[in-house]
Structures are given as C-alpha cells and as structure tokens.
C-alpha cells in the first residue's frame, strides 16, 4: 500500500469512528482520482481531512454547514510562493476556508481575508472577497503541526 492510500485509510478510519455506519468517497472532478473533497453517504454530515508529516486529521459536522480542516507544518519555507508573507498559521486558516468553500486552490489564496477580531468562542473570521463570512478556530495539534478549522452555516 502506498503512502497516499495509507493516509486515506487512516482518515476513513477516523471518520468511521466519528460517524458509525457512514461511508466516504472522493472523486476528483478534473482527473477522476481518489482525492479531493470527501462525500458522505449514510449520515447527515459533512467532513474534511488533512494530512501532514505522517499525521492524518479529520473533522465532521452537520451536513448543512460548509466545513474545512487544514494541517500545516509549523515551518514551511515554500509558503511565500503561494501566499506572500504568510506563516504556517495564516496558511492553515486560508486553506481551511478554501476547503470549506469547496473550490480549494482554484481560488487565489490572496482573495481570502482573515481577521483575528471575532465573536466570543471563535478564534478568527474570514471571507473570500466580500462573500459571507466563515468562522474559524485554531486547533491544538501535535508538536510541529498547526491546525485550523473553518465553518459556515447556510444562508
């Protein structure tokens, strides 16, 4: 089993523990590969997964929300090419928003505006251009990894 298949197996196992009886599948709309946004069957839920440095992370929520999870190494020198001036925390937040939005990196990460000023119980808020806001949380992770979760309720 290759590393990608192993990561997918671990993430599906985590999700199965969170959503017993559900099944999960992904199919890339561009190439048909087993990657991209995960779809849930057998549960009224939405999920998001992320992988970094030998870790698999998973989040689940009600199907009615948009949900995105991202994990990033806490030191990533190549981020400046994608999001100039960003640190790993900033990148994880932006990527979580893009995953929750559902378009991923087809949207220029520079279009995501993140603000630390936020309502109680939320770590940050973000928008893509002037669209409706996402709420976000910085989640504790293992040493060397930063995690962010973004969610948006339906309008």
């Amino acid at each position: 089993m290759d590393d990608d298949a192993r990561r997918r197996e671990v993430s599906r196992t985590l999700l199965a523990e969170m959503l017993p009886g559900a099944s999960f599948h992904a199919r890339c709309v561009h190439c048909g590969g087993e990657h991209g946004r995960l779809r849930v069957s057998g549960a009224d839920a939405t999920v998001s997964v992320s992988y970094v440095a030998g870790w698999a992370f998973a989040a689940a929520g009600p199907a009615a929300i948009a949900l995105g999870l991202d994990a990033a190494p806490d030191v990533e020198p190549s981020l400046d090419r994608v999001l100039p001036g960003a640190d790993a925390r900033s990148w994880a937040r932006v990527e979580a928003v893009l995953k929750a939005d559902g378009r991923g990196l087809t949207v220029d990460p520079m279009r995501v505006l993140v603000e630390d000023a936020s309502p109680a119980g939320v770590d940050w808020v973000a928008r893509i251009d002037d669209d409706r806001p996402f709420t976000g949380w910085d989640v504790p992770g293992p040493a060397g990894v930063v995690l962010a979760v973004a969610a948006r309720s339906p309008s």
Side-chain angles (χ1 to χ4, degrees):
M1 180 181 304
D2 68 17
D3 287 344
D4 288 342
R6 191 169 300 122
R7 293 184 325 175
R8 282 192 300 274
E9 181 182 354
V10 169
S11 69
R12 298 332 186 257
T13 300
L14 290 169
L15 291 169
E17 288 183 20
M18 290 188 260
L19 300 168
S23 61
F24 313 95
H25 57 281
R27 186 71 52 205
C28 177
V29 297
H30 302 291
C31 73
E34 286 188 53
H35 58 96
R37 188 169 195 77
L38 273 177
R39 306 290 180 207
V40 180
S41 300
D44 190 25
T46 187
V47 299
S48 186
V49 297
S50 190
Y51 311 100
V52 67
W55 293 92
F57 301 95
I65 68 167
L67 179 68
L69 163 70
D70 193 59
D74 64 354
V75 176
E76 181 56 65
S78 64
L79 287 178
D80 209 46
R81 291 180 307 170
V82 182
L83 193 61
D87 61 6
R89 172 73 57 211
S90 299
W91 174 252
R93 290 173 173 182
V94 166
E95 180 71 6
V97 168
L98 293 174
K99 285 180 171 185
D101 176 67
R103 293 178 287 170
L105 289 173
T106 64
V107 174
D108 181 350
M110 294 294 292
R111 292 176 51 197
V112 179
L113 310 170
V114 179
E115 300 174 356
D116 285 327
S118 58
V122 175
D123 293 327
W124 46 274
V125 294
R127 295 175 189 273
I128 299 173
D129 300 325
D130 290 327
D131 201 3
R132 293 183 313 109
F134 292 88
T135 53
W137 299 268
D138 297 325
V139 181
V145 176
V146 295
L147 296 164
V149 175
R152 181 168 67 188
S153 297
S155 54

